[in-house]
Amino acid sequence: MYLDGVRNGCHERGSTVAYRSSGAGYADVAGHFRSRIEDGDLAPGDPLPSVSEIREQFTVSAKTVSRALGLLKTEGLVTSRGALGTVVAKPRTVTSGVDRLPRMARTGRRYGHGEDSTGHRVVMQSVHDPKVCRALDVEPGEEVVIRIRTFRQDGRPTSVAISIYPPRTWAEVPELFEEGRMPEYFGNLYEERTGREVSPGDRIGYLRLASQDELDALEIKVPAVSPVTVFVTDVTFHDEDGPVAYWEDVYEPSEKIRIPAEAAAQ
């Protein structure tokens, strides 16, 4: 709706890293490889170790390995490839903005394999949307900084990300005014300069009709009179004194959005 106003990592392909854990279960095995895939240590097409190698690495039975690989296949993270065994699959789900933060903290990688962002724009404008005003605790008409970009997977648009910052945030992080990609996560810069920790709140998901600018950014071609429903998630970030940012992700209708296990358990 706000469109109207406006360390890459490397690894050796095919390599594996031994991981030993006494008494591991299938969830531990699956979690290890899930993290390596999400962090970019394993790229699409890279092989996982053989069943016998995984058994030795984790000290588990062949049945446990089979259950772990079955879980990863169900999640769309790996696939069977004949003589190559089990390999990392091409991404089938979209990662939301807030879900990128743990990976960035662990690895420094902003994007997954084949992922990029384009169409970066920055605007300062008055905010009148009641939902955003409530989320950021600002008065209608107050000026905010809005950053917009389109995320892509292998060149295909998957989501439009919109982040909105109130005056007290951009006063501490003037980099938010700069065009192009931020040098790093705004929360890190804010914490360094204020000493106040930034934490995301609950993420909310819902359906709504897409604006024409959102359709254009997602490269969806439909007649002007045809409504298109999109899935949206939003989250508000806070420090000890109140809200510091509002993020919204608008997803291409055919995309699947992965919900991390820790979020699904809440």
Side-chain angles (χ1 to χ4, degrees), residues 153-184:
Q153 181 67 47
D154 298 320
R156 175 177 51 83
T158 57
S159 65
V160 176
I162 303 160
S163 51
I164 307 175
Y165 303 91
R168 74 186 195 92
T169 305
W170 45 259
E172 301 290 350
V173 188
E175 291 90 340
L176 291 167
F177 288 100
E178 299 174 3
E179 295 287 345
R181 297 180 177 92
M182 284 284 291
E184 60 178 296

Side-chain angles (χ1 to χ4, degrees), residues 203-247:
R203 181 173 47 175
I204 307 299
Y206 50 92
L207 298 173
R208 66 164 169 79
L209 296 180
S211 70
Q212 185 59 51
D213 285 295
E214 289 166 346
L215 296 177
D216 292 341
L218 294 171
E219 299 179 6
I220 299 174
K221 307 299 182 183
V222 295
V225 295
S226 300
V228 176
T229 301
V230 289
F231 184 67
V232 180
T233 60
D234 66 48
V235 61
T236 302
F237 294 75
H238 299 79
D239 69 1
E240 61 192 45
D241 294 331
V244 295
Y246 171 86
W247 285 11

